Amino acid sequence: MNRGLYINATSLATNQKKLEVLTNNLANVNTTGFKKDMSLTETFPEKLLSKINGQKPRTRLRGENQIDYETDGQVHRASTNNGFFVIETPMGNSYVKDIRFIVDDEGYFRTFYQDGREDYKTDYENFITDGQGNRLQGEAGDIEGLLQGIIYHPPSSRIIGTMNAGLKFQKIVTDFTQGNISETGGTYDLALNGPGFFKIADQEGNIYYTRDGSFVVNEEGALSTLRGETVQGVGGAIYIEGNEVTIGTNGAVIVDGNTVGTLDVVDLENREFLRKIGDNLYQMAEGVEAGEISFEGEVLQGYLENSNVNAIEEMVEMITLLREYEAGQKAIRVQDEMLEKASNEIGRV
């Protein structure tokens, strides 16, 4: 198969998915408490290209000045001009010149990401290997020495270089950056100033999380969402029977001078596992327990949090994606014309 066609086709497919994410963000630009989605993409593993009848690549022994190494807190960076680092990915080994990684709780060297906090996460991330299929593991003090000994050196006379098979869509992540807070004056309009979530329960008792504080009192007198789910207090549902309702910054619900409950507002240590299920609700991914931690912010009565979608930025990104899509189409057209010439004209010679 023509590699140029394949690479450009993967680019078009990836851009189409990214465009769908942008479209959904723009559709919810005025949705209370909505958090925009971001698309993460990655290239297919870098494969070594060797000459026809080339020898199988081999690992050269440790040498002098093989890498440039530096560290910044937990993050380690290394690069080499004399060989390759070998990264284990779900789609096979990747051969790269530069790596950035951290040491996980078990001592493995792994790529990482951040979820908007200072913490580094390694779930579903790739492993640095020793070039022989063994995942690299070590202590903070000997990292540079270990990296010196794992540089993969294929026969230079046989290896042309590396090439990947194009771009692929990795996953969608949610940006939990807080949106602007607007005053509404509504008694049951609540906004969270700081990272955290209201806890919501449906009729079956399933727990959900939301940043949308557009609440009402249902027919039974319980505080609920506009769709009927019950807003959870520390001891369960909160029932409001009275005229004067005040909700404090700590979530205490005071009716006619008496405290009737406290909103169960929590933050999540593993919020990267939250999944959108519609109606502005989140649920933990299947098989993952919610890591609830204390909410350190404030509950604001008479306010609502706006969407954190910036319409101008999203439109600029959309225009950029459309131009990239057009460029990919032109590249495929060029490849197609080259194949046409090869099959129709070169054959006549």
Side-chain angles (χ1 to χ4, degrees):
M1 180 178 179
N2 186 299
R3 294 185 183 273
L5 284 175
Y6 186 82
I7 292 173
N8 283 289
T10 59
S11 175
L12 293 182
T14 300
N15 280 344
Q16 183 174 354
K17 292 180 181 179
K18 292 173 67 175
L19 188 60
E20 292 172 358
V21 174
L22 283 175
T23 302
N24 182 64
N25 288 341
L26 286 172
N28 288 280
V29 69
N30 293 318
T31 301
T32 301
F34 179 82
K35 301 303 177 186
K36 70 177 182 179
D37 290 323
M38 299 184 296
S39 304
L40 293 187
T41 59
E42 64 179 355
T43 59
F44 286 93
E46 294 281 342
K47 299 298 182 183
L48 287 175
L49 295 181
S50 59
K51 296 180 181 178
I52 296 176
N53 298 324
Q55 300 175 3
K56 183 179 179 180
R58 66 179 183 274
T59 304
R60 186 180 300 170
L61 296 177
R62 175 177 172 177
E64 295 293 334
N65 300 321
Q66 296 294 308
I67 67 170
D68 292 321
Y69 170 79
E70 62 179 2
T71 181
D72 181 10
Q74 298 182 56
V75 179
H76 305 270
R77 299 180 179 88
S79 61
T80 178
N81 293 321
N82 303 319
F84 300 92
F85 295 105
V86 183
I87 312 297
E88 177 190 318
T89 78
M91 303 187 69
N93 287 339
S94 183
Y95 299 84
V96 298
K97 293 286 189 181
D98 302 276
I99 53 174
R100 294 175 71 247
F101 65 92
I102 65 172
V103 181
D104 69 10
D105 295 337
E106 298 178 354
Y108 288 107
F109 298 180
R110 302 183 68 178
T111 56
F112 62 91
Y113 68 93
Q114 291 180 275
D115 68 342
R117 296 190 176 101
E118 295 181 356
D119 297 335
Y120 296 102
K121 306 288 185 176
T122 58
D123 45 274
Y124 306 123
E125 287 295 306
N126 300 323
F127 291 87
I128 314 298
T129 73
D130 62 359
Q132 302 296 322
N134 303 309
R135 295 173 175 176
L136 206 60
Q137 201 174 17
E139 300 295 334
D142 62 350
I143 289 180
E144 184 173 6
L146 287 172
L147 294 177
Q148 288 279 6
I150 65 165
I151 303 300
Y152 193 78
H153 290 276
S156 58
S157 61
R158 297 291 182 179
I159 294 298
I160 301 173
T162 61
M163 186 187 73
N164 65 64
L167 192 68
K168 73 185 184 77
F169 192 91
Q170 185 187 31
K171 61 182 177 181
I172 298 174
V173 297
T174 303
D175 178 6
F176 288 103
T177 303
Q178 181 167 316
N180 295 326
I181 295 177
S182 299
E183 184 175 5
T184 65
T187 302
Y188 304 112
D189 287 344
L190 305 177
L192 296 179
N193 183 22
F197 300 89
F198 297 106
K199 291 180 68 172
I200 308 296
D202 61 15
Q203 294 181 350
E204 288 75 29
N206 298 314
I207 297 297
Y208 306 100
Y209 302 90
T210 186
R211 294 280 299 189
D212 183 0
S214 305
F215 300 140
V216 295
V217 176
N218 63 19
E219 297 176 352
E220 299 176 354
L223 192 64
S224 67
T225 67
L226 296 174
R227 295 162 299 279
E229 297 93 356
T230 304
V231 179
Q232 294 298 287
V234 174
I238 297 177
Y239 292 90
I240 298 176
E241 298 178 358
N243 298 318
E244 185 177 347
V245 179
T246 303
I247 300 176
T249 57
N250 63 347
V253 180
I254 303 172
V255 180
D256 293 337
N258 299 314
T259 301
V260 298
T262 301
L263 292 170
D264 193 1
V265 183
V266 298
D267 195 4
L268 294 171
E269 191 175 26
N270 56 346
R271 65 183 182 182
E272 66 271 15
F273 290 103
L274 284 176
R275 302 292 181 262
K276 291 181 178 180
I277 62 169
D279 295 327
N280 237 348
L281 298 178
Y282 298 89
Q283 189 176 39
M284 296 303 295
E286 185 176 356
V288 179
E289 291 290 333
E292 295 184 357
I293 56 179
S294 299
F295 173 63
E296 302 295 338
E298 297 178 317
V299 178
L300 304 179
Q301 184 181 21
Y303 294 84
L304 288 175
E305 180 185 1
N306 299 328
S307 166
N308 68 349
V309 177
N310 186 312
I312 296 177
E313 290 180 356
E314 298 297 306
M315 288 298 298
V316 171
E317 180 67 18
M318 181 176 290
I319 293 172
T320 302
L321 281 177
L322 290 174
R323 289 177 177 172
E324 290 179 359
Y325 199 90
E326 292 175 355
Q329 288 179 315
K330 292 179 181 178
I332 289 179
R333 190 176 300 116
V334 170
Q335 296 285 338
D336 183 60
E337 292 173 355
M338 291 173 59
L339 289 174
E340 182 181 2
K341 288 181 180 293
S343 60
N344 294 332
E345 298 182 15
I346 297 178
R348 298 174 187 171
V349 178

